[in-house]
Amino acid sequence: MELGYFTMPSHPPERPLKDGHEWELQVIRWLDELGYKEAWIGEHHTAPWEPHPSPDLVVAQALMQTKNIRLGPGGFLLPYHHPAELANRVAMLDHISGGRLNFGVAASGLPSDWAMFNVDGNTGVNREMTREALDIILKLWSTNEPFEYVGKFWTVKNPEMMYGFLKPHIKPLQKPFPPIGVAGLSKGSDTLKLAGERGYIPMSLNLNPAYVSSHWESVEAGAAKTGRKPNRREWRLVREVFVADTDAEAERLSVELHMGRMMREYFLQLLANFDFLPYLKHDQSVPDSDVTPEYCAKHNWIIGSPATVAEKIEKIHNDVGGFGHLLVFGFDYVDHPQAWRHSLELLAKEVLPKVKHLSA
C-alpha cells in the first residue's frame, strides 16, 4: 500500500485566498519530506469552501519546492477548458515537473459551476464534453501530422507548418503522456467506467466502503468494453484520516477543529442536497439528521491512534476487496498546523509499516 494526498483544496470562507494557497504548499512540502507518493489538487469555481480555480498554480509552485512527490490536478474540469490550450499547458507543466506530473481529469459535479460556464450537467453534457476534450488532448499529444477534429463541442486543428517555421511543437515529457487519473463519486460513475475502459487511474471519493465497492464494479464494467483487466493496485481511495497519539485526542482534533467544521458547515450539507447521505450510513434506518461529524467520526472517518488507524485501514481494505493507495483528504489546519503535521507523520512512520503488507 502507498500513501498520497487529495485536497479540494478546502478552506473556510474567511480564509484569505493567498493564505489558503500557502497552506497547500506547506502541506505538500511536508508530504514530500515524509515520503508520500503523490498529491492531487482539485479545481472548483463557485464553492467558497473549495476556493481554488487553478490547480496548476499550486502544482507549478509545489514542483519547485519539492524533490520526489508526484503532483497533479485532481482534476482539471475538462468542460471548462479549451482542449488545445489545456494540452499545451499540461505538456509544459510536465516538462517543468521533470516527469513528476500526474494528469487528473474530472467532469465537474457542482451545479453552480455548470451554471457559471453554461454547461448542462443535469443531462450529462458535462460527461460528454469530458470524453471529447480528453480525446482531443490525447490526439494532439500523439501526432505531429496535421489533422482536423470536428467534435460536438470543439473543433480543433493541428495545422500544417506555416512560413516554414510555425507549427505545433509542445508535447509532454513523459511518453506517451503523464499518468491520467479520474475521480468518481456517484454510483455507477461514468468517469470510473472511463478509467476502466482506458486503463486510467481510478480515484474514489470518501464514502463508506459498502458504497465504494460499487465503484470498482464501474471500473470493471468499463474495462470489459475494451478487453482490459483492471489492476486494484492502481485504485486510490480518498478518505478522511486523522492520527494522534490516542483515540480520544484524534477524535477531539478532528471533530472539534477544521475537519468537523468543514463537514458540518459545508460538505454534509452538500451531500444532503445530492441525496448522498445514505451512502454515509452504517444502517439505512438512521435518520439524515443523525449524520453529523460525530457520527462520521464513529462510522466513516479513519481516525485514532496509530494502532487503531491501522486496524481501520485493514478492515476497509478487506471490505472493498483491496486497493493500492490511500489518499488523505486534505483539510485546513492553518490555526493548528502541528496537529496536522503530526497526523501526517504518524500515518507515514507508524501506520504505514503496519499496513504496507496489504496487497490488492
Side-chain angles (χ1 to χ4, degrees):
M1 184 172 291
E2 301 283 354
L3 292 177
Y5 195 80
F6 179 93
T7 178
M8 289 177 159
S10 169
H11 301 283
E14 73 274 9
R15 181 79 63 217
L17 294 178
K18 183 177 186 296
D19 291 356
H21 182 85
E22 293 292 342
W23 169 253
E24 301 303 330
L25 293 174
Q26 174 62 79
V27 172
I28 292 170
R29 290 195 297 271
W30 288 339
L31 297 172
D32 190 47
E33 294 167 12
L34 294 169
Y36 282 68
K37 183 179 179 182
E38 62 194 25
W40 305 80
I41 296 92
E43 172 188 341
H44 302 89
H45 296 268
T46 57
W49 274 93
E50 304 181 63
H52 213 304
S54 307
D56 48 338
L57 293 180
V58 179
V59 171
Q61 285 190 281
L63 286 168
M64 301 297 101
Q65 300 176 23
T66 56
K67 295 180 180 178
N68 299 306
I69 191 170
R70 297 188 63 83
L71 299 169
F76 278 121
L77 303 180
L78 294 191
Y80 310 145
H81 298 275
H82 191 288
E85 179 268 344
L86 193 61
N88 288 337
R89 202 160 91 231
V90 172
M92 185 66 192
L93 195 57
D94 192 30
H95 282 269
I96 293 172
S97 79
R100 284 196 281 139
L101 184 72
N102 291 333
F103 179 36
V105 301
S108 176
L110 291 180
S112 50
D113 280 3
W114 300 340
M116 174 175 275
F117 290 91
N118 195 33
V119 170
D120 184 2
N122 290 313
T123 61
V125 169
N126 57 325
R127 294 191 292 274
E128 292 181 63
M129 295 178 77
T130 296
R131 284 179 174 264
E132 182 174 301
L134 191 54
D135 286 342
I136 293 170
I137 290 168
L138 295 180
K139 189 169 180 62
L140 287 166
W141 285 347
S142 66
T143 181
N144 291 315
E145 297 300 317
F147 69 80
E148 181 178 27
Y149 186 109
V150 180
K152 182 177 179 180
F153 306 103
W154 293 281
T155 294
V156 174
K157 292 182 179 180
N158 215 35
E160 295 184 2
M161 184 181 294
M162 298 182 184
Y163 311 128
F165 49 80
L166 299 180
K167 62 179 182 179
H169 65 98
I170 302 174
K171 308 291 185 189
L173 176 65
Q174 297 174 84
K175 303 302 179 188
F177 43 76
I180 295 175
V182 295
L185 180 64
S186 60
K187 194 164 189 173
S189 167
D190 187 68
T191 51
L192 291 178
K193 288 177 182 174
L194 177 66
E197 187 181 317
R198 301 191 179 185
Y200 301 154
I201 296 169
M203 294 186 284
S204 292
L205 299 184
N206 44 331
L207 299 170
N208 71 27
Y211 180 78
V212 166
S213 294
S214 72
H215 283 185
W216 189 253
E217 294 168 10
S218 295
V219 174
E220 290 183 323
K225 291 182 181 179
T226 53
R228 293 179 180 273
K229 184 172 177 58
N231 187 344
R232 283 178 175 270
R233 285 193 294 272
E234 292 299 312
W235 189 17
R236 273 73 165 164
L237 260 60
V238 180
R239 297 303 301 264
E240 299 90 344
V241 181
F242 203 103
V243 194
D245 296 325
T246 66
D247 291 352
E249 186 75 351
E251 182 172 0
R252 182 182 71 81
L253 292 172
S254 59
V255 173
E256 295 181 16
L257 297 183
H258 182 70
M259 186 183 293
R261 182 189 168 196
M262 180 269 201
M263 288 288 168
R264 184 176 294 107
E265 296 182 19
Y266 172 59
F267 204 57
L268 292 178
Q269 294 182 43
L270 182 68
L271 294 179
N273 278 285
F274 290 162
D275 295 323
F276 274 21
L277 288 186
Y279 306 131
L280 295 176
K281 298 176 184 179
H282 76 294
D283 182 328
Q284 291 308 306
S285 66
V286 173
D288 286 359
S289 58
D290 283 1
V291 182
T292 62
E294 289 78 7
Y295 178 92
C296 291
K298 182 177 180 181
H299 295 286
N300 294 299
W301 298 350
I302 305 175
I303 64 172
S305 67
T308 298
V309 167
E311 289 174 8
K312 290 182 177 181
I313 292 172
E314 184 154 9
K315 184 178 187 306
I316 292 169
H317 182 273
N318 295 335
D319 286 347
V320 303
F323 65 96
H325 296 70
L326 175 66
L327 303 186
V328 176
F329 195 38
F331 289 94
D332 175 315
Y333 273 75
V334 171
D335 300 323
H336 302 84
Q338 286 311 309
W340 193 244
R341 172 74 165 72
H342 189 50
S343 174
L344 295 172
E345 184 172 13
L346 288 175
L347 184 62
K349 294 187 176 180
E350 297 193 26
V351 177
L352 185 60
K354 292 180 171 68
V355 299
K356 191 74 174 176
H357 67 283
L358 297 177
S359 171

